[in-house]
Amino acid sequence: MASRTDVPEETRTRDFIRQIVAEDLRAGKHEEVVTRFPPEPNGFLHIGHAKSILLNFGIAEEFGGRCNLRFDDTNPVTEDVRYVDAIVEDVRWLVGGIGAGPLFASDYFERMYALAEFLIREGQAYVDSQSEREIRENRGTVMEPGRLSRFAERAPEESLELFRRMRAGEFPDGAHVLRARIDMASKNMLLRDPLLYRIRHAHHHRTGEEWCIYPMYDFAHTVEDAIEGITHSLCTLEFDVNRPLYDWVAERWVEHVRSEGGEPTRPRQIEFARLQLEYTVMSKRKLLTLVSEGRVAGWDDPRMPTLAGLRRRGVTPQAIRTFSEMIGVTKANTRIDVGKLEYAIRDDLNQRAPRLMGVMDPLKVVITNYAEGESETFEAPVWPHDVPKEGSRPLPFTGTLWIDRDDFREDPPEGFHRLVPGGEVRLRYAYVIRCDEVVRGDDGEVTELRCSYLPETRGGANPEGRRVKGTIHWVSATHALPLEMRLYDRLFSESDPEAEGADFREGLNPESLVVVPEALVEPAVAALDPGLHVQLERVGYFFTDPVDSRPMRPVLNRTVTLRDTWAAREDAAGGGAPPSREEKRQAREREKERERERGGGARQEPERLPELQKRREVYEREMQLEPHEAEVLTRDAASADLFEAGVRAGATPQLLANWIVHELPRELGERDVTTLPFGGPEMAELAALIEDGTVSSTGGRQVLGEMVKGGGRPEEIVERLDLRQVSDQDALEKLVADALAANPGKVEEYRSGRTGLLGFFVGQVMRASGGSANPQVVKEMLDERLGAPR
């Protein structure tokens, strides 16, 4: 049994449902918290279901209770055992188990039937022999009360006999139904003598032909909760109108059990906002349409929002859990920016995906001053310095290489720092090269670059203060592995594909899948088994397809790009691009707002949108912000005001924008910027602490989380949480020396050319310092003490 004191304060207050559960335990209403996740086995689970799964299983775990996976298998026409198996697999994948399950509504059919007979005998239910059309017409409308069925006054004895004959299979589908006797004049139309049972002559995936009458959802669902002792029946807001019927059935169950001398449990229904995600459809019917019409390759197509599709794309359970925590649990339905999900995926994969290199559109590079037939091997790290893991891989280098065609421009735009005729660029982990000659084919297309390399720049060395601005990725032509890359993107190009009056299929993104049949990657990729993650540097996060990959011929599914490219893509469309349905809807809403203002409604700044557009232009032109960051900052005045107040307080614009755009939303969840208990000066102070190395980026996130919760000065929070980084070289000297002394073999390997071991040594010092050492200072000290590789 979990008491209030057993549960951490953070758990009890995280959202309104957890507050209810904690209060119920404190008041002694329950000895144990019992929740359930009750899917119908008529389709595959999607990202919307994930929110409910994590909420129900999470509350049970946090409060020391249990959660049931229970299938509401009360409609044999649409259900299938393959959906049962798929759902079990999805739930196990997402939360690591299936709790006390799987359980099935069909396990309780006899007890549901017993309750139905009890209701008939008590005069609270009757068999109705109207046609389906008559029942529908007599239900009335929201403005008019319903009309009693001509069978509503049927004697209980007659209804009971008919109901038993219905069970015996004497009548065809639709001949009779069992209805509750409640109130045909109720304003809640669900209480107008709702159906409890109907006839369905169909094979059931578990009970076979044993039953030919099946309970309706609202009746069955409540009884299942009561039988299992569910204390908190959590469902989405659209079931709010069903709650009076849920309570009616629950009360009837109590009466029934007590009439037999039992002590019943009384479940409670609580509603929360369902997940509505931009650029996505959640309707099972619409998802089935996509599958049946061949618009996707199946339920596990990596573009689908199904858990099977997300899993095959390479999304992890941890990323979905992080996303769920970001958006929180609320009572108001809102559409969630899909960028939040993509952010959570990137944040997760950054820590788990080793770094390798590959090119999608190869362009040959011949290094003319490199000895023909010669080759060498670099030891390249597989983890960046900010990921506390060690490891390296051999990276072969020859005189003929492949680079990505996008990394070369004959007529480069302003700010292009990659390879140009006569220009220099660094090959990642290798040498600086200079482009000396451009070779074209008969059609005039560039087919080859002839370059020279600078031997003294090996492995990142910069002799005589040489500074090269650009670094590009590459693969050896001799050793490159050809494979298929599948570049997955958002399935819909419309942010609201289910907008009223629209055919959702019109919003499908024609570029949601681009297949690169012969991409080239470094040989280390061949060692990846199906179902593993990798980051192809400067390209994106990928996942080796668990279905189509073969030994030495993996298929890479792009999980997510390295950065959000959608805002920049929309900017590139320019003013001539036709407006989308969403843009038209927003324009209509703005016009309505102006009409309200002209009519004396709540006053708002009529020139706000043009003003924000001007501010966006200033951010891009004068402050050199990325277009997508400027766009996010000027979506509303509050975000723009926060940013500008921080800049006025002395923050570097680019760093401040990065934290407001990418980090702050994660801490805010569903809250608005206007609710923050701090302002721009505090954000500027946090940015300064990160920029000068006082606190790491990880520590900065902790500080920001504390600021969002309760305000406060960042420097004081850093001191309170002991997050200050150690940057004093004298203080770090012993830790660096100890790390080198404890690993003489690895020191020798580094000096022999395994430069990827630098990350190992940084990790050793970071662990020894308890994470408080400044990794950049540590790296510089190690560089100096290890010296240049031989």
Side-chain angles (χ1 to χ4, degrees):
M1 174 178 174
S3 69
R4 184 180 177 87
T5 55
D6 292 330
V7 183
E9 177 66 23
E10 181 182 357
T11 292
R12 295 202 304 267
T13 60
R14 193 157 26 134
D15 56 63
F16 78 96
I17 292 181
R18 286 174 169 87
Q19 291 172 12
I20 291 172
V21 174
E23 182 59 28
D24 286 349
L25 286 174
R26 187 197 66 78
K29 289 184 178 180
H30 312 291
E31 293 185 358
E32 181 185 33
V33 172
V34 186
T35 60
R36 85 288 174 270
F37 175 63
E40 297 179 66
N42 60 2
F44 284 73
L45 299 183
H46 54 61
I47 185 69
H49 294 110
K51 179 178 179 180
S52 179
I53 295 169
L54 292 169
L55 178 63
N56 279 283
F57 278 88
I59 284 178
E61 180 180 6
E62 292 160 22
F63 288 90
R66 57 187 170 87
C67 179
N68 296 344
L69 170 61
R70 179 224 300 150
F71 289 95
D72 275 328
D73 55 340
T74 57
N75 185 1
V77 176
T78 61
E79 295 159 0
D80 194 287
V81 68
R82 73 185 180 110
Y83 295 132
V84 172
D85 294 341
I87 290 171
V88 168
E89 180 183 5
D90 286 345
V91 175
R92 286 190 194 277
W93 172 74
L94 186 60
V95 296
I98 56 174
L103 306 175
F104 295 85
S106 53
D107 293 334
Y108 314 129
F109 277 176
E110 283 290 355
R111 299 179 71 177
M112 293 179 195
Y113 179 82
L115 174 61
E117 285 206 352
F118 170 80
L119 294 177
I120 295 171
R121 289 194 300 271
E122 293 296 310
Q124 298 185 77
Y126 62 94
V127 171
D128 192 352
S129 304
Q130 293 182 105
S131 68
E132 184 177 341
R133 180 181 60 80
E134 288 177 306
I135 292 174
R136 184 172 59 250
E137 291 174 351
N138 288 335
R139 185 173 288 126
T141 68
V142 292
M143 303 299 293
E144 299 177 353
R147 297 183 294 276
L148 281 173
S149 166
R150 62 184 183 275
F151 302 103
E153 300 304 323
R154 216 169 218 161
E157 296 78 12
E158 182 184 357
S159 284
L160 188 58
E161 180 190 1
L162 284 170
F163 189 54
R164 289 172 176 173
R165 292 173 64 191
M166 287 167 59
R167 175 175 179 173
E170 295 185 19
F171 305 110
D173 290 5
H176 307 286
V177 294
L178 181 68
R179 298 180 71 174
R181 183 178 279 112
I182 304 181
D183 183 4
M184 287 300 291
S186 174
K187 292 182 179 179
N188 185 334
M189 294 184 65
L190 291 180
L191 295 181
R192 294 180 183 179
D193 290 9
L195 274 61
L196 303 181
Y197 268 87
R198 77 288 203 204
I199 301 172
R200 284 287 185 274
H201 289 277
H203 179 82
H204 189 279
H205 71 101
R206 295 188 75 243
T207 62
E209 317 302 327
E210 181 181 354
W211 291 87
C212 61
I213 57 171
Y214 290 93
M216 302 299 289
Y217 175 82
D218 285 308
F219 177 75
H221 175 69
T222 311
V223 175
E224 294 154 25
D225 282 353
I227 291 173
E228 294 176 6
I230 303 302
T231 57
H232 301 85
S233 182
L234 311 180
C235 58
T236 46
L237 278 177
E238 62 264 32
F239 290 97
D240 175 69
V241 70
N242 299 62
R243 186 167 7 113
L245 180 53
Y246 183 96
D247 291 340
W248 185 90
V249 175
E251 288 300 326
R252 304 295 81 74
W253 171 262
V254 169
E255 294 170 3
H256 168 55
V257 174
R258 284 179 177 165
S259 73
E260 297 183 335
E263 188 57 41
T265 58
R266 171 66 164 82
R268 175 187 181 184
Q269 178 174 303
I270 305 172
E271 303 87 21
F272 63 94
R274 66 193 289 260
L275 174 60
Q276 300 179 86
L277 199 60
E278 290 182 344
Y279 298 94
T280 309
V281 297
M282 299 289 196
S283 161
K284 284 184 181 179
R285 177 180 58 82
K286 292 177 180 177
L287 294 176
L288 178 60
T289 297
L290 295 176
V291 174
S292 61
E293 292 183 357
R295 297 175 185 269
V296 293
W299 289 99
D300 68 343
D301 187 306
R303 294 168 293 177
M304 290 279 274
T306 57
L307 296 186
L310 292 168
R311 183 165 63 245
R312 186 171 178 183
R313 186 162 175 162
V315 177
T316 68
Q318 291 79 3
I320 296 176
R321 285 199 289 269
T322 298
F323 170 64
S324 182
E325 291 171 0
M326 287 171 62
I327 62 176
V329 180
T330 67
K331 298 180 182 180
N333 280 325
T334 56
R335 292 191 67 79
I336 303 298
D337 181 0
V338 71
K340 290 186 176 181
L341 173 61
E342 294 168 345
Y343 172 88
I345 295 169
R346 290 188 191 96
D347 193 52
D348 174 70
L349 294 182
N350 179 53
Q351 301 294 318
R352 70 172 68 246
R355 274 55 166 180
L356 300 174
M357 293 195 294
V359 296
M360 292 189 294
D361 188 6
L363 174 62
K364 182 186 286 189
V365 170
V366 175
I367 301 178
T368 55
N369 63 334
Y370 195 87
E372 187 174 353
E374 292 293 317
S375 66
E376 59 185 301
T377 301
F378 294 91
E379 276 299 319
V382 294
W383 303 105
H385 295 316
D386 61 347
V387 176
K389 296 182 180 180
E390 60 181 271
S392 62
R393 84 279 189 183
L395 186 61
F397 184 91
T398 58
T400 303
L401 311 171
W402 296 107
I403 67 171
D404 205 296
R405 190 172 293 274
D406 281 345
D407 285 334
F408 172 75
R409 288 287 186 276
E410 287 189 278
D411 185 17
E414 185 178 354
F416 187 82
H417 297 307
R418 287 162 279 171
L419 197 57
V420 298
E424 295 180 346
V425 73
R426 177 172 293 283
L427 298 176
R428 181 79 160 148
Y429 308 119
Y431 297 103
V432 171
I433 62 171
R434 181 175 55 246
C435 180
D436 302 316
E437 182 182 355
V438 178
V439 180
R440 301 178 183 280
D442 294 339
D443 58 0
E445 183 178 357
V446 176
T447 59
E448 182 181 308
L449 303 178
R450 293 181 179 169
C451 303
S452 53
Y453 83 112
L454 283 65
E456 65 273 20
T457 61
R458 189 183 196 278
N462 292 303
E464 301 176 0
R466 176 186 293 275
R467 294 292 178 186
V468 178
K469 289 186 176 181
T471 299
I472 64 175
H473 56 280
W474 55 276
V475 293
S476 162
T478 304
H479 303 87
L481 172 72
L483 53 69
E484 179 179 303
M485 282 187 191
R486 298 171 182 172
L487 307 181
Y488 291 105
D489 207 340
R490 298 176 184 176
L491 183 56
F492 291 90
S493 54
E494 299 284 354
S495 65
D496 185 7
E498 297 179 284
E500 185 177 353
D503 181 346
F504 76 101
R505 290 167 292 193
E506 293 178 1
L508 284 167
N509 177 14
E511 296 183 352
S512 62
L513 171 59
V514 175
V515 177
V516 182
E518 290 291 329
L520 297 173
V521 296
E522 62 174 276
V525 178
L528 295 176
D529 294 326
L532 293 180
H533 299 89
V534 64
Q535 184 200 106
L536 293 184
E537 298 193 46
R538 300 178 61 235
V539 179
Y541 290 104
F542 289 81
F543 186 64
T544 50
D545 189 275
V547 177
D548 296 333
S549 293
R550 298 291 181 267
M552 296 302 294
R553 188 75 179 188
V555 173
L556 293 186
N557 296 336
R558 186 173 67 188
T559 308
V560 68
T561 55
L562 294 179
R563 302 183 69 179
D564 183 359
T565 60
W566 276 72
R569 196 180 311 175
E570 290 160 4
D571 291 339
S580 67
R581 288 200 304 267
E582 176 64 9
E583 289 168 333
K584 293 175 182 176
R585 184 190 66 76
Q586 292 177 356
R588 289 195 299 270
E589 291 298 318
R590 290 195 293 270
E591 184 59 34
K592 289 178 183 177
E593 187 60 35
R594 295 189 189 102
E595 287 294 332
R596 285 193 291 270
E597 291 169 5
R598 289 192 287 269
R603 186 182 182 279
Q604 296 190 13
E605 299 173 272
E607 296 301 317
R608 172 55 82 190
L609 287 173
E611 177 203 336
L612 288 174
Q613 179 59 32
K614 290 178 183 176
R615 293 165 84 170
R616 175 178 176 175
E617 293 168 0
V618 170
Y619 296 171
E620 292 186 38
R621 183 180 64 254
E622 298 181 12
M623 298 185 185
Q624 300 296 303
L625 296 191
E626 293 287 341
H628 75 280
E629 292 181 340
E631 190 273 332
V632 172
L633 287 172
T634 53
R635 285 178 183 172
D636 59 83
S639 297
D641 291 345
L642 178 69
F643 170 68
E644 290 178 17
V647 172
R648 286 195 299 271
T652 302
Q654 292 86 350
L655 178 62
L656 183 63
N658 181 66
W659 276 76
I660 293 177
V661 170
H662 300 291
E663 303 297 342
L664 185 57
R666 179 174 184 172
E667 302 299 335
L668 276 172
E670 287 295 286
R671 293 172 56 188
D672 190 82
V673 173
T674 57
T675 67
L676 287 173
F678 61 87
E682 288 77 18
M683 280 299 301
E685 182 178 330
L686 174 60
L689 293 172
I690 296 166
E691 190 167 23
D692 67 14
T694 299
V695 65
S696 66
S697 295
T698 301
R701 294 186 186 100
Q702 289 182 253
V703 174
L704 183 60
E706 292 295 309
M707 291 168 62
V708 170
K709 287 178 183 177
R713 286 197 56 200
E715 189 162 7
E716 294 174 355
I717 296 172
V718 168
E719 295 301 330
R720 173 161 54 86
L721 300 181
D722 194 22
L723 296 174
R724 185 178 294 275
Q725 286 194 131
V726 179
S727 299
D728 182 6
Q729 291 202 14
D730 290 339
L732 294 173
E733 179 62 44
K734 184 177 186 305
L735 297 180
V736 171
D738 287 349
L740 297 178
N743 298 279
K746 284 186 167 53
V747 170
E748 185 59 32
E749 289 180 49
Y750 176 89
R751 289 172 175 163
S752 298
R754 283 195 66 190
T755 55
L757 286 171
L758 183 62
F760 164 76
F761 289 116
V762 172
Q764 296 296 304
V765 176
M766 294 300 293
R767 275 191 286 274
S769 71
S772 63
N774 185 325
Q776 185 58 39
V777 174
V778 171
K779 178 180 178 298
E780 292 170 359
M781 294 176 67
L782 287 166
D783 274 334
E784 180 181 341
R785 285 153 182 75
L786 287 167
R790 293 191 292 270

